[in-house]
Amino acid sequence: SATSVYGQPVHFTATIAVTAPGAGSPTGFVQFTIDGIAFGEPVAVGGGSAVSPDLSTLPVGTHSISAMYLGDMNFASSAAPALDQVVNKAFTSLVVTSSQNPSPYGLSVLVTATVIGVDPSTAIPTSGTVQFIVDGVPYGAPVELTPGGTASKLLPYTALWVGTHNITAVYSGNSNFFGIDNIANPYLQVVERGILTITITP
């Protein structure tokens, strides 16, 4: 079997060897299948092998990969023993930012958590939730992750008095990605005193 993580590009190679006492170089095509379903179009044989296209969207689980040599004028078709491809959950990283930092007292601030897959995964999580925590206290309900891998929460000024606030986010994870949080390294939102304008009227 082979192992990868969700979002990691993988490809499969079918090697064709002529059984003795036969000789020659097989031509023709190989059809790859994944879990019994054809994967792409048949791939031409060259130099004794055929390579499938890259694939990075196999969901977490064990998948059966098969290859069928379709034969040519001189060689009969043949099927390779199935290969088990085990796809594991991918790790994630999380970054928290805000719409303005430092911010003056009296201004609401939009905080955003961005979640991405960690190498070798090249995918972005598109589901799951993010719970925002302000100064150790969960703020509001968890926010659904967008298809772009972000979640945002508007913090009103009533939640941000003058001083430095620890903003953390906890991503729940989903069927293909592990959860992540920044509790060990919270985002620091600095709120400064507001600036007043005073006018005198007669």
Side-chain angles (χ1 to χ4, degrees):
S1 65
T3 303
S4 60
V5 300
Y6 179 78
Q8 177 181 359
V10 295
H11 61 259
F12 308 103
T13 301
T15 302
I16 298 119
V18 178
T19 303
S25 299
T27 60
F29 295 86
V30 167
Q31 177 66 64
F32 291 92
T33 62
I34 300 177
D35 298 328
I37 300 173
F39 172 45
E41 299 296 324
V43 179
V45 175
S49 65
V51 181
S52 76
D54 279 349
L55 177 67
S56 61
T57 55
L58 279 176
V60 169
T62 300
H63 302 274
S64 179
I65 313 300
S66 300
M68 170 67 77
Y69 171 61
L70 303 181
D72 64 9
M73 292 179 61
N74 299 312
F75 296 94
S77 62
S78 179
L83 168 74
D84 283 341
Q85 181 71 33
V86 179
V87 181
N88 296 315
K89 282 189 175 185
F91 288 100
T92 53
S93 66
L94 179 147
V95 175
V96 176
T97 57
S98 75
S99 55
Q100 185 171 334
N101 193 12
S103 61
Y105 178 74
L107 178 72
S108 296
V109 173
L110 184 71
V111 292
T112 299
T114 301
V115 185
I116 62 173
V118 173
D119 186 66
S121 177
T122 59
I124 296 175
T126 59
S127 66
T129 61
V130 171
Q131 175 66 64
F132 289 94
I133 302 171
V134 181
D135 296 326
V137 180
Y139 188 85
V143 180
E144 291 287 340
L145 211 63
T146 70
T150 65
S152 298
K153 173 77 76 172
L154 185 66
L155 303 181
Y157 76 91
T158 52
L160 299 172
W161 55 91
V162 173
T164 299
H165 300 274
N166 289 348
I167 310 296
T168 57
V170 180
Y171 171 56
S172 66
N174 61 25
S175 59
N176 293 317
F177 290 93
F178 287 110
I180 187 70
D181 62 62
N182 70 326
I183 292 175
N185 186 30
Y187 180 79
L188 301 180
Q189 177 69 38
V190 178
V191 179
E192 299 176 336
R193 288 183 175 183
I195 299 174
L196 300 178
T197 299
I198 301 176
T199 59
I200 300 175
T201 57

